[in-house]
Amino acid sequence: MTQKQPTVICVGDIHGYISKLNSLWSNLHSALDPSDFDSALVIFLGDYCDRGPETRKVIDFLISLPEKHPDQTHVFLAGNHDFAFAGFLGLLPRPSDGSDLKDTWKEFEDSEEREGWYKGEGFEDMHLQGRRWAGKIKAQFNSVKGMAYKGSIYDAGSTFESYGVPHGSSDLMKVVPESHKKFLTNMVWVHEEDDVCIETEEGLKHCKLIAVHAGLEKGNSVDEQLKLLRTKDTSISKIPYLSGRKNVWDIPQELDDKQTVVVSGHHGKLHMDGLRLIIDEGGGYPDKPVAAIVLPSMKIIRDTDNFSS
């Protein structure tokens, strides 16, 4: 009898949409064999906050999972939005090189006025992304996304409101519950698995898996990148592995023959090219689904699927 391969579920960006998350979770439950669902490794690919209206409820849901599903394993990756949220709340680790968090401002100071960086309580020792997150962007309209900005470059206004305070208010630091602060503090920047299986045309393939919110850069040493991600190096102003675009789209050539799956969210697209999996169909848009991929089957499950018929 062939041994059953463990189930891995990778969940794309949620962005404050609790109703989509509830529907997706219910659909995963319906689509999978109960024993596979109950014992699955569930990797959330990041971006729990901003854009959608219910960040607070989304984090409550995620915090409740280990108790509700004690035989599952849950991994919560930091997305660039969650990193910035944690930065505003003062939850990021100190830079390991001994520099100050405020040293991250310098590289992008030309953008400060346009992006209206946060200057309120606690800003003096805040990572650049925390200041950008709680800032007030001058432009009203995001022409790239074709929608109005919600407060800041990160669309963080809806996150503030979900905790009952206006965008950019330092009161958020006081009203976010300790359990949420702990969740944001404990998020990992990368998750690695030595043996996952995926179904291919040639049959079942054993691979390593690297899950990181945006991806890994081509041209730079993978080992160096992973070291930086494992240690949460906050000396970097803009962390490409959490917020990059074109430079992290593909699998680094160094991993080409290594049978390594690289799975990410972040890019506002569903893209499956060999072992490169990008699972972010929703992108934070109200009218797009939140999706997950199930391994080994490579099946995509969405919050909009209907399994009742």
Side-chain angles (χ1 to χ4, degrees):
M1 187 174 148
T2 56
Q3 189 186 358
K4 207 168 186 190
Q5 297 305 328
T7 299
V8 181
I9 302 168
C10 301
V11 179
D13 302 24
I14 300 159
H15 278 302
Y17 286 103
I18 188 62
S19 57
K20 294 184 189 186
L21 177 56
N22 277 319
S23 299
L24 175 68
W25 195 253
S26 169
N27 285 343
L28 285 164
H29 202 279
S30 301
L32 293 173
D33 180 284
S35 65
D36 291 343
F37 180 77
D38 290 341
S39 62
L41 163 64
V42 189
I43 302 171
F44 290 88
L45 297 170
D47 280 0
Y48 314 114
C49 62
D50 302 343
R51 300 201 174 122
E54 300 285 9
T55 290
R56 181 176 187 151
K57 287 183 180 172
V58 165
I59 294 179
D60 277 336
F61 179 102
L62 299 174
I63 289 168
S64 75
L65 287 177
E67 196 176 326
K68 286 181 184 164
H69 301 278
D71 296 328
Q72 288 181 345
T73 303
H74 305 100
V75 172
F76 303 106
L77 288 178
N80 55 319
H81 287 255
D82 317 306
F83 173 90
F85 183 10
F88 178 74
L89 296 175
L91 303 173
L92 297 176
R94 311 297 306 171
S96 51
D97 63 2
S99 62
D100 289 324
L101 286 169
K102 68 170 186 266
D103 295 339
T104 59
W105 307 349
K106 195 153 186 58
E107 189 182 345
F108 293 98
E109 59 194 359
D110 290 350
S111 306
E112 178 171 3
E113 192 184 341
R114 181 176 59 84
E115 293 179 357
W117 295 357
Y118 174 78
K119 286 191 178 123
E121 187 184 323
F123 90 94
E124 301 88 349
D125 188 31
M126 190 177 282
H127 192 281
L128 166 68
Q129 301 306 332
R131 293 193 66 199
R132 293 178 81 221
W133 184 78
K136 292 189 175 155
I137 185 157
K138 289 258 167 68
Q140 296 296 301
F141 196 75
N142 182 340
S143 52
V144 177
K145 282 197 167 288
M147 52 212 273
Y149 280 109
K150 293 178 179 172
S152 71
I153 197 91
Y154 276 99
D155 298 317
S158 53
T159 295
F160 280 83
E161 286 155 25
S162 79
Y163 289 96
V165 298
H167 175 70
S169 167
S170 63
D171 287 346
L172 186 68
M173 299 171 187
K174 303 177 188 77
V175 299
V176 171
E178 283 307 312
S179 60
H180 289 213
K181 289 179 177 174
K182 187 178 174 187
F183 172 84
L184 293 164
T185 301
N186 290 340
M187 291 180 302
V188 294
W189 292 13
V190 66
H191 180 74
E192 299 159 80
E193 287 286 325
D194 283 336
D195 184 21
V196 301
C197 284
I198 63 167
E199 284 177 12
T200 69
E201 287 170 2
E202 295 85 48
L204 211 57
K205 190 173 190 174
H206 286 265
C207 299
K208 288 191 169 183
L209 178 140
I210 299 171
V212 57
H213 180 64
L216 297 172
E217 285 192 301
K218 46 191 178 195
N220 289 344
S221 155
V222 170
D223 281 347
E224 287 298 315
Q225 295 180 64
L226 291 174
K227 184 176 161 192
L228 186 151
L229 286 161
R230 290 179 198 127
T231 57
K232 300 186 180 179
D233 185 351
T234 56
S235 66
I236 302 167
S237 304
K238 197 171 183 184
I239 296 153
Y241 324 109
L242 305 189
S243 61
R245 294 290 177 189
K246 288 180 183 166
N247 58 330
V248 295
W249 181 262
D250 297 314
I251 291 185
Q253 283 159 322
E254 199 184 315
L255 294 175
D256 270 355
D257 57 348
K258 298 283 198 302
Q259 299 208 335
T260 302
V261 175
V262 179
V263 62
S264 302
H266 181 61
H267 295 276
K269 289 184 172 66
L270 191 64
H271 172 81
M272 296 159 67
D273 179 16
L275 301 181
R276 180 63 173 129
L277 308 177
I278 294 171
I279 313 297
D280 177 26
E281 203 164 17
Y285 289 94
D287 55 345
K288 291 190 179 175
V290 172
I293 190 167
V294 180
L295 310 180
S297 69
M298 303 287 277
K299 187 177 172 71
I300 299 291
I301 308 285
R302 298 173 175 85
D303 71 287
T304 49
D305 293 340
N306 184 358
F307 289 103
S308 57
S309 51

